[in-house]
Amino acid sequence: QVQLVESGGGLVQAGGSLRLSCAASGSGFSISFMSWYRQAPGKQRDAVAAITPGGTINYADSVKGRFTISRDNAANTVYLQMNALKPEDTAVYYCHMVKYGVDYWGQGTQVNVSS
């Protein structure tokens, strides 16, 4: 059974930075597709950033140049460095894993950006 545990959320002023972490239990992390999603109140859950097992990275247009996704396979952890945060980045951020064709989700971590 896979567990994804996010951490690093909180309250920050606009222009500030946060670093989210997602630690995965179990084996097979290095061959898993990892991504971050976010969901603002009353809105759908949208993809923010993704990283393949080979290190190919994609970002949503809204975060390009401000967010950086990375992974540490030795630590079974994926990160999301968020810089130049804006109030519209306020949302619950979720870690997502696809391993052997199965989807797993973390419980989410709240990010609030004040203006």
Side-chain angles (χ1 to χ4, degrees):
Q1 181 71 14
V2 172
Q3 283 192 315
L4 302 175
V5 180
E6 300 105 332
S7 61
L11 173 64
V12 64
Q13 288 188 329
S17 298
L18 284 173
R19 188 193 196 204
L20 306 183
S21 299
C22 170
S25 64
S27 60
F29 180 84
S30 63
I31 62 169
S32 301
F33 289 79
M34 302 300 301
S35 54
W36 288 94
Y37 284 70
R38 67 186 181 186
Q39 187 167 21
K43 296 189 176 181
Q44 67 181 19
R45 189 174 297 188
D46 292 324
V48 173
I51 183 167
T52 70
T56 299
I57 291 172
N58 284 289
Y59 296 102
D61 287 343
S62 59
V63 306
K64 281 181 181 176
R66 300 187 298 122
F67 290 12
T68 302
I69 188 172
S70 61
R71 64 191 299 160
D72 182 345
N73 290 335
N76 281 16
T77 302
V78 64
Y79 304 96
L80 186 68
Q81 177 67 43
M82 305 186 294
N83 299 327
L85 283 160
K86 305 175 181 180
E88 51 263 45
D89 294 318
T90 293
V92 178
Y93 283 71
Y94 295 92
C95 179
H96 177 246
M97 166 188 275
V98 181
K99 185 170 72 170
Y100 305 128
V102 179
D103 288 83
Y104 301 92
W105 291 92
Q107 82 287 353
T109 185
Q110 179 71 47
V111 172
N112 290 306
V113 185
S114 63
S115 57

